[in-house]
Structures are given as structure tokens and as C-alpha cells.
């Protein structure tokens, strides 16, 4: 077997099959992998005090064990940052923080977890996953949007959320060998509950649960998935409210910024989100004090740049084929999603990406979870779209990071993520039913 043929087989059917294209794409993937690896090695050698978030989280667990209120920074040892999570997480995180193992070795632990995350992520519409697909997902999880770099630097528990998200997606989108998506529904319910639980870590990301409507199931079952996900989201809040009443009151004070002289969560604090971009633009225009105007500009930007184009693209695909007599628009969409399960899986993950990137509070480390959604979709791209995705989502931010320029305090990552969203969306618009059986294509 020639080298060109070997490269073609490794790249698989998601890309063009000509040897020339496969060769340059393989070179681009290798270059991207070297850059990602170089960034990780470079970060590991910098003499910086990493892991501030993991120290905060484990200091809060220690304070709780000592009978102190962990939402008051004065009770946390060695940090000025406040603990942001619900009270129930103090007991959930206790095994992780036992013996200070995670604090001392979190970099190695997180590296293992990101590899595990890439291995867990599902393939869209395929029961078997090729080594090429796994490699691309791992490359995306490690390098996209420099999200993992920020998680590794800060020690943020977004790493755990990313792994749980990967497990949830695996359960939700697991393909059936017979093509019958109704089979294994209890596992999909478990995936929905786990996804809801993940969003309860950072409440602002709960709109992601609405993307479950695009799962290729009858409407009743889709609504059941959303209901179970909502229950998974609400359950930690209810448990915290009932069984940790005193701490829950302190948590509300902490996130509302009503505890003096300590860090508080603020929607317009420095973060590369569309909301802060709207706020910055209005400040430059002398209108920064108007919160209703800021929210209106933010909503307009989210709708115009992401949500409306996504919705129109989905409806365009769903209504492009033969239409049976009768039936509402929503019913026709439901039928099309069931008839085209691979396209529905792509739409589901792309909807999660869209809802996540339009969140009003999108810290740098949160881009790791965004990379998890992108990693599901990246292996499914044809050659040119894959090259564009790697260039915009991995190479560009990676080069910025390697040259010593920080992306913190700028909107670089937001621009990169929006660019990648449009690459994925345009690819879907061009071939909405790629990989569906031939008889289902128009």
C-alpha cells in the first residue's frame, strides 16, 4: 500500500478521497498537532503559580469540613477568590480534594481526563469510531480555542464539566445498530439528566438544554428528555436549598455580590462574551449606563449572528424535501429529524454550540466545554471545512498563545468561536444530509 493510499484510508470518508488533498490535509493536521503539543509543553515550563481555581475549590471543601462558611473568603486559606458552586457540591467534591492530591497533581489528572473525554465522545450516526476520528476529537479537545490551556492554567473544574458533558453526549447520541433511535431510551434519559446536572454547575448555560428538541425522537420523548434534563438542572439547587439552608443563603449573597470585600460573580466582568461586547460598544458610544439597552443590543447580536441563521438553516433543510399533505411546520420538522437521524445529531450538537457561545457570561476556561461540542462535529467535516476549522479554531489562537500574547481581556476567543460556528453552519447548509443513506437524500 502506497503512502498516499495509507493517508487516504486514515483520513477516512469524511474528506475528499484524492491523494493530493489527503496529503496536504494530513500535513496540516500534523502541523496543528505539533503546535498544540508545543503549547502544552511551553505552558508546563513557565514558572507561574498555576491552579488558583482548584485551590479555591478544595479550600472551600476544607473550610466546610472545619465547620466554617466557605462562601466567605476570609474562611478560605491561601486565596482571595470566592467559591462559586452550589452548597451540595462541597460534599460532591470532597473525594476529589481528599489528601490534597488533586491540588498537587491536577495538571496530570486533567491531561488524563481530556484524553478520556476525547475517547468518550460519540461519533455521529456511526456505531464504530475510526482512529482518525478519535485523533481529530482529541486534537480539538486539547487545542480548540486554547480552552484546555486556560483550564490547565487555572485548574478550573470546567474540566470535570467537560468530561461529564462528553459522557452525556455519548448517552444521548449513541447510534443504534438497527437505526431505531427509540431503542435505549432509558440511557438517553440518563444522558439528559447528566447534561442538566452539568449545567447546574454554571447556571448561565442552562439554555443549552433546549437543544435536546432536535434529537431524532418522537415529540413526546424529546419533551421527556428536556423535562428530565430540567430536573437534573433543578435537583442540585433544590437539594442545596433544603439540606444546606444556611449555606444556600450565603451562596445567594456571594453570587449577588452582597458580601463586602470579596470577589463576586458579575455578568459584565471581564469575559469574552457577546454581552460584554455589547456593553463595551455602548460604553464607547457613551451609553454604557443603560442596562436595558445593553441587553437589547446583546439579544440582537445573539439573534443576528448565531440563533436566527441557525434556525433558518435547519428549517431550510427540513422543508427542502418532498412534503406530505397536511401537518404543521413543527410536525414536519419532527418528521424530518426522525427520518434523518445523522443530520439531526449534527443539528443537536450544533444547537448546543450555538446556545453556549451566545451565553452572557463566557469566561476563557469555559471555551473548553465549547471545544467539547466542536470536537463531536469536527471529525464529520469534509477536507476544506476541516482545514478551515483547524486553522481558525486551533492554529490561530494557538499561535497567539505561543507568541506570548494573551487573549484575556479581549474578544479574540469570541471571534474565533463565532468563526468556527459559521464554518460548521455553512458546511451543514451545503450538505445537510451528508452520511445519510442514499435513499433518504433528495
Amino acid at each position: 500500500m502506497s503512502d498516499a493510499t495509507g493517508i487516504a484510508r486514515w483520513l477516512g470518508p469524511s474528506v475528499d478521497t484524492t491523494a493530493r488533498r489527503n496529503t496536504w490535509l494530513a500535513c496540516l493536521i500534523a502541523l496543528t498537532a505539533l503546535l498544540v503539543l508545543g503549547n502544552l509543553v511551553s505552558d508546563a515550563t513557565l514558572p507561574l503559580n498555576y491552579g488558583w481555581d482548584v485551590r479555591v475549590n478544595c479550600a472551600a471543601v476544607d473550610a466546610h469540613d472545619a465547620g466554617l462558611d466557605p462562601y466567605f473568603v476570609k474562611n478560605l486559606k491561601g486565596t482571595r477568590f470566592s467559591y462559586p458552586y452550589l452548597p451540595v457540591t462541597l460534599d460532591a467534591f470532597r473525594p476529589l480534594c481528599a489528601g490534597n492530591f488533586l491540588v498537587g497533581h491536577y495538571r496530570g489528572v486533567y491531561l488524563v481526563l481530556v484524553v478520556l473525554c476525547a475517547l468518550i465522545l460519540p461519533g455521529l450516526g456511526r456505531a464504530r469510531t475510526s482512529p482518525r476520528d478519535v485523533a481529530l476529537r482529541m486534537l480539538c479537545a486539547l487545542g480548540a480555542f486554547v480552552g484546555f490551556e486556560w483550564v490547565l492554567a487555572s485548574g478550573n473544574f470546567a474540566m470535570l464539566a467537560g468530561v461529564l458533558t462528553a459522557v452525556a453526549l455519548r448517552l444521548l447520541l449513541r447510534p443504534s445498530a438497527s437505526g431505531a433511535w427509540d431503542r435505549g431510551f432509558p440511557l438517553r434519559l440518563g444522558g439528559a439528566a447528566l447534561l442538566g446536572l452539568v449545567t447546574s454547575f454554571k447556571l448561565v448555560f442552562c439554555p443549552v438544554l433546549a437543544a435536546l428538541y432536535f434529537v431524532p425522537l418522537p415529540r413526546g420523548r424529546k419533551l421527556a428528555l428536556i423535562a428530565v434534563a430540567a430536573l437534573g438542572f433543578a435537583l442540585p439547587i433544590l437539594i442545596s436549598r433544603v439540606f444546606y439552608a444556611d449555606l444556600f443563603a450565603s451562596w445567594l449573597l456571594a453570587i449577588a455580590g452582597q458580601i463586602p470585600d470579596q470577589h463576586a460573580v458579575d455578568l459584565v466582568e471581564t469575559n469574552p462574551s457577546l454581552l460584554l461586547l455589547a456593553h463595551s460598544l455602548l460604553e464607547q458610544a457613551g451609553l454604557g449606563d443603560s442596562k436595558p439597552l445593553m441587553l437589547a443590543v446583546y439579544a440582537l447580536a445573539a439573534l443576528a449572528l448565531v440563533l436566527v441563521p441557525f434556525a433558518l438553516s435547519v428549517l431550510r433543510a427540513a422543508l427542502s424535501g418532498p412534503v406530505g399533505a397536511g401537518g404543521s411546520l413543527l410536525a414536519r420538522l419532527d418528521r424530518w429529524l426522525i427520518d434523518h437521524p445523522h443530520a439531526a445529531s449534527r443539528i443537536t450538537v450544533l444547537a448546543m454550540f450555538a446556545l453556549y457561545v451566545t451565553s452572557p457570561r463566557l469566561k476563557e476556561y469555559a471555551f473548553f466545554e465549547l471545544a467539547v461540542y466542536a470536537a463531536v462535529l469536527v471529525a464529520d467535516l469534509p477536507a476544506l471545512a476541516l482545514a478551515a476549522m483547524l486553522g481558525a479554531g486551533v492554529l490561530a489562537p494557538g499561535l497567539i498563545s505561543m507568541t506570548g500574547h494573551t487573549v484575556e481581556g479581549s474578544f479574540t476567543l469570541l471571534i474565533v468561536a463565532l468563526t468556527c460556528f459559521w464554518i460548521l453552519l455553512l458546511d451543514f447548509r451545503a450538505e445537510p444530509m451528508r452520511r445519510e443513506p442514499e435513499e433518504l437524500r433528495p
Side-chain angles (χ1 to χ4, degrees):
M1 182 174 64
S2 68
D3 292 341
T5 306
I7 291 170
R9 287 191 180 181
W10 184 80
L11 287 169
S14 293
V15 297
D16 300 332
T17 56
T18 62
R20 181 179 299 176
R21 285 196 174 188
N22 287 333
T23 300
W24 71 256
L25 185 57
C27 291
L28 177 64
I29 292 171
L31 176 64
T32 306
L34 287 174
L35 175 67
V36 171
L37 180 62
N39 254 334
L40 294 176
V41 172
S42 175
D43 288 345
T45 58
L46 291 177
L48 298 177
N49 188 21
Y50 287 106
W52 54 89
D53 282 345
V54 71
R55 289 197 297 272
V56 169
N57 296 339
C58 289
V61 171
D62 292 340
H64 178 53
D65 287 344
L68 302 174
D69 190 328
Y71 294 104
F72 286 80
V73 172
K74 64 182 181 180
N75 294 327
L76 306 183
K77 294 181 179 179
T79 182
R80 296 175 298 158
F81 295 108
S82 58
Y83 184 69
Y85 300 110
L86 286 162
V88 68
T89 58
L90 292 163
D91 288 322
F93 293 159
R94 180 175 289 110
L96 301 176
C97 296
N100 283 327
F101 176 82
L102 187 62
V103 174
H105 302 88
Y106 80 94
R107 293 178 64 86
V109 172
Y110 281 16
L111 192 58
V112 171
L113 289 179
V114 75
V115 172
L116 182 63
C117 181
L119 294 174
I120 292 171
L121 285 171
L124 297 182
R126 296 188 295 277
R128 298 180 61 185
T129 300
S130 69
R132 171 256 186 199
D133 290 354
V134 173
L136 284 174
R137 289 179 200 134
M138 193 170 300
L139 183 59
C140 194
L142 281 168
F145 318 123
V146 294
F148 181 65
E149 284 188 51
W150 276 99
V151 168
L152 208 57
S154 63
N156 194 273
F157 277 13
M159 184 70 243
L160 304 179
V163 174
L164 293 177
T165 298
V167 175
L169 292 175
R170 182 76 178 192
L171 294 173
L172 280 165
L173 302 178
R174 57 191 300 272
S176 171
S178 64
W181 269 70
D182 275 357
R183 296 185 180 179
F185 185 65
L187 289 178
R188 300 193 202 282
L189 286 174
L194 185 56
L195 188 64
L197 179 67
V198 171
T199 57
S200 73
F201 289 174
K202 299 287 185 181
L203 306 182
V204 75
F205 295 123
C206 66
V208 168
L209 303 180
L212 295 177
Y213 189 83
F214 296 107
V215 174
L217 291 171
R219 189 184 303 175
R221 292 204 161 191
K222 292 191 293 188
L223 294 179
L225 286 180
I226 295 174
V228 168
L231 180 61
F233 170 78
L235 192 59
I237 302 174
L238 294 174
I239 292 174
S240 296
R241 177 67 181 86
V242 173
F243 296 103
Y244 302 82
D246 293 341
L247 289 179
F248 188 77
S250 296
W251 174 74
L252 289 175
L253 291 175
I255 65 171
Q258 296 178 0
I259 301 178
D261 301 323
Q262 70 178 51
H263 173 263
V265 175
D266 187 352
L267 280 178
V268 294
E269 70 180 345
T270 301
N271 69 91
S273 68
L274 280 174
L275 178 65
L276 192 66
L277 178 59
H279 182 256
S280 299
L281 293 174
L282 289 175
E283 275 192 333
Q284 293 179 14
L287 300 171
D289 293 333
S290 175
K291 285 190 177 181
L293 183 59
M294 177 187 69
L295 293 174
V297 173
Y298 157 65
L300 181 62
L303 289 169
L305 295 176
V306 179
L307 300 180
V308 169
F310 168 78
L312 292 177
S313 299
V314 172
L315 290 177
R316 174 177 175 267
L319 302 180
S320 61
V323 179
S328 66
L329 180 64
L330 197 60
R332 289 162 61 184
L333 173 62
D334 291 341
R335 185 71 259 164
W336 186 86
L337 292 170
I338 293 173
D339 290 342
H340 304 88
H342 178 262
S345 298
R346 290 172 69 191
I347 291 169
T348 300
V349 181
L350 187 56
M352 292 177 179
F353 189 104
L355 292 166
Y356 200 98
V357 80
T358 52
S359 168
R361 189 174 185 270
L362 197 62
K363 301 291 286 187
E364 284 81 5
Y365 54 75
F367 280 84
F368 171 68
E369 288 186 74
L370 198 64
V372 169
Y373 294 122
V376 179
L377 298 166
V378 71
D380 205 43
L381 294 174
L384 291 178
L386 177 57
M389 188 74 177
L390 292 177
V394 183
L395 282 172
L399 286 171
I400 292 173
S401 175
M402 181 164 276
T403 54
H405 295 86
T406 180
V407 295
E408 187 178 19
S410 72
F411 296 103
T412 302
L413 292 183
L414 177 65
I415 294 170
V416 166
L418 289 174
T419 301
C420 289
F421 168 77
W422 274 96
I423 292 171
L424 295 167
L425 184 65
L426 291 174
D427 172 67
F428 171 75
R429 287 175 62 88
E431 296 184 87
M433 287 178 285
R434 185 171 60 244
R435 291 191 182 279
E436 299 288 359
E438 291 292 335
E439 63 270 15
L440 295 180
R441 299 184 186 184

